[in-house]
Amino acid sequence: MKPELSVIIPIYNEQDGLASLFARLYPALDALQTSYEIIFINDGSRDNSVAILAEQFRQRPDVTRVVLFNGNYGQHMAILAGFEASRGQIMVTLDADLQNPPEEIGNLVAKMREGYDYVGSIRRKRQDSAWRTLASKMMNRLRERITNIKITDQGNMLRAYGRNVIDLVNQCAEVNTFVPALAYTFARKPTEITVEHEERAAGESKYSLYSLIRLNFDLVTGFSLIPLQIFSMLGMLLSFSSAVLVIYLLARRFLFGAEAQGVFTLFAIAFFLMGVILFGIGLVGEYVGRIFQQVRARPRYVVQTILQDGMAQAEAEAPSYVRLEKRQVGR
């Protein structure tokens, strides 16, 4: 029997906070009085997270499923794997760090039942550092102008999706993507609600500054060609300006003779143009790199094992649970 609700939680080195997560998550979902499943995706954790997840599966095999990757593929690939494994009509994604309270899931489900097929969330008061909050707001504005995807709080992973949206997402084979934006493009009736935000229960954020920059590159280049078009127009403008400058310098030379006063100005203009060119080449490289990764057609992630109902009894005495099922998920 398919559940109404599937909760998808990526896990990467979260051993210190999993007990707190379990203690709040299961009671919050039981209180909803609806059928549900929880899908944990272990994204190549190097700590004791796998053993803790396996033990939790043995305690609640009726509503718990665990997907184990054979390596680290990133949060968004883990979410996509959770979408592939989900069976519910409503999918909710949740981080394991408890910054988004599990008790808020009920509010998202209630909003979905009103007829929406995508419910985003806006953190009422962010518990992040000032620089991260500011950088996120700046990227939100830039992304909305470039991609026309209206997500107020793109860094918040607590979101709900309808089965119609997830079925379309599962048909996509993008190697690099931003899941909330991808789902938004397929939603017929999206909306957002405000949710609480707490400090991390344990551990540290897995997103470094480089990871955040890469994520925003994936977001911008994956959903818009506007950056390339801007550089095309900028190239035409600079070419026209350079032609005017050359005519002006030639006229000055013929009218006033050779002079050396403008040498450093020319150097400054040349360095500026070289910087623009190098940035443009880098931008084109981003698009070309995405094409290169896509045409290789390698699996986006490899699922080593799935722990799910019906396997608990068979594996209760087994020394290792990683031999249950092996498969590759790709394009």
Side-chain angles (χ1 to χ4, degrees):
M1 186 174 180
K2 294 182 178 180
E4 180 190 18
L5 174 65
S6 295
V7 180
I8 299 164
I9 307 177
I11 304 293
Y12 179 64
N13 295 339
E14 296 286 357
Q15 65 174 10
D16 295 333
L18 286 178
S20 299
L21 174 64
F22 299 154
R24 293 179 59 179
L25 177 62
Y26 286 86
L29 295 179
D30 290 337
L32 297 180
Q33 296 183 344
T34 187
S35 57
Y36 70 87
E37 64 177 358
I38 304 173
I39 304 175
F40 297 100
I41 303 93
N42 179 64
D43 188 24
S45 297
R46 294 187 294 270
D47 60 4
N48 203 37
S49 295
V50 175
I52 297 173
L53 292 173
E55 179 60 30
Q56 182 63 25
F57 164 71
R58 294 186 180 98
Q59 293 182 16
R60 293 291 304 270
D62 55 327
V63 295
T64 305
R65 303 172 69 196
V66 182
V67 178
L68 302 179
F69 281 177
N70 75 335
N72 179 248
Y73 296 92
Q75 182 187 45
H76 289 268
M77 290 299 106
I79 291 173
L80 290 176
F83 287 165
E84 290 258 354
S86 66
R87 299 173 296 192
Q89 293 302 307
I90 299 174
M91 265 62 61
V92 173
T93 55
L94 178 70
D95 285 333
D97 56 17
L98 287 178
Q99 285 195 290
N100 291 128
E103 294 78 10
E104 293 284 358
I105 293 176
N107 295 328
L108 272 72
V109 172
K111 201 67 176 178
M112 290 287 291
R113 288 172 176 168
E114 294 179 13
Y116 297 97
D117 57 358
Y118 175 103
V119 179
S121 61
I122 305 170
R123 288 169 281 194
R124 191 184 309 277
K125 185 178 180 181
R126 293 189 58 169
Q127 302 296 323
D128 291 327
S129 60
W131 75 266
R132 187 165 180 173
T133 302
L134 178 61
S136 178
K137 289 181 178 179
M138 291 175 61
M139 284 307 304
N140 283 350
R141 293 193 185 97
L142 178 62
R143 181 260 312 142
E144 184 171 337
R145 289 181 178 274
I146 293 177
T147 64
N148 201 30
I149 295 175
K150 295 177 175 58
I151 300 177
T152 303
D153 192 352
Q154 71 178 37
N156 199 23
M157 196 50 66
L158 179 60
R159 301 176 188 277
Y161 310 90
R163 170 53 63 182
N164 63 304
V165 172
I166 298 305
D167 287 343
L168 292 171
V169 170
N170 287 339
Q171 295 178 30
C172 299
E174 300 178 27
V175 175
N176 297 298
T177 192
F178 184 75
V179 172
L182 181 63
Y184 183 92
T185 60
F186 297 128
R188 296 192 302 266
K189 192 177 180 182
T191 189
E192 293 180 329
I193 64 173
T194 301
V195 298
E196 299 298 332
H197 193 240
E198 302 176 359
E199 295 183 0
R200 285 182 64 91
E204 298 179 353
S205 174
K206 306 305 185 297
Y207 271 104
S208 63
L209 178 60
Y210 174 76
S211 299
L212 293 172
I213 293 174
R214 286 299 318 158
L215 181 63
N216 282 288
F217 264 117
D218 289 339
L219 179 57
V220 172
T221 60
F223 295 91
S224 176
L225 294 177
I226 289 180
L228 287 178
Q229 295 167 349
I230 290 175
F231 263 90
S232 296
M233 292 185 287
L234 181 60
M236 290 187 289
L237 178 62
L238 290 176
S239 297
F240 176 77
S241 300
S242 298
V244 172
L245 179 61
V246 169
I247 294 172
Y248 171 73
L249 292 175
L250 286 175
R252 282 181 60 88
R253 182 176 180 85
F254 286 122
L255 292 175
F256 303 105
E259 51 186 347
Q261 287 86 350
V263 172
F264 292 106
T265 301
L266 290 176
F267 280 159
I269 294 173
F271 288 142
F272 169 74
L273 294 178
M274 284 189 288
V276 172
I277 291 171
L278 289 175
F279 185 78
I281 292 173
L283 180 62
V284 173
E286 282 291 323
Y287 282 94
V288 173
R290 294 174 65 88
I291 295 171
F292 173 66
Q293 290 181 315
Q294 198 70 38
V295 299
R296 287 187 303 182
R298 295 179 182 177
R300 295 184 295 178
Y301 48 82
V302 178
V303 175
Q304 186 180 45
T305 305
I306 298 180
L307 304 180
Q308 55 188 352
D309 194 18
M311 297 181 180
Q313 293 297 326
E315 290 295 320
E317 303 299 329
S320 172
Y321 45 79
V322 297
R323 296 173 293 127
L324 293 173
E325 178 183 350
K326 294 184 180 181
R327 63 169 179 161
Q328 285 190 342
V329 180
R331 295 186 61 182

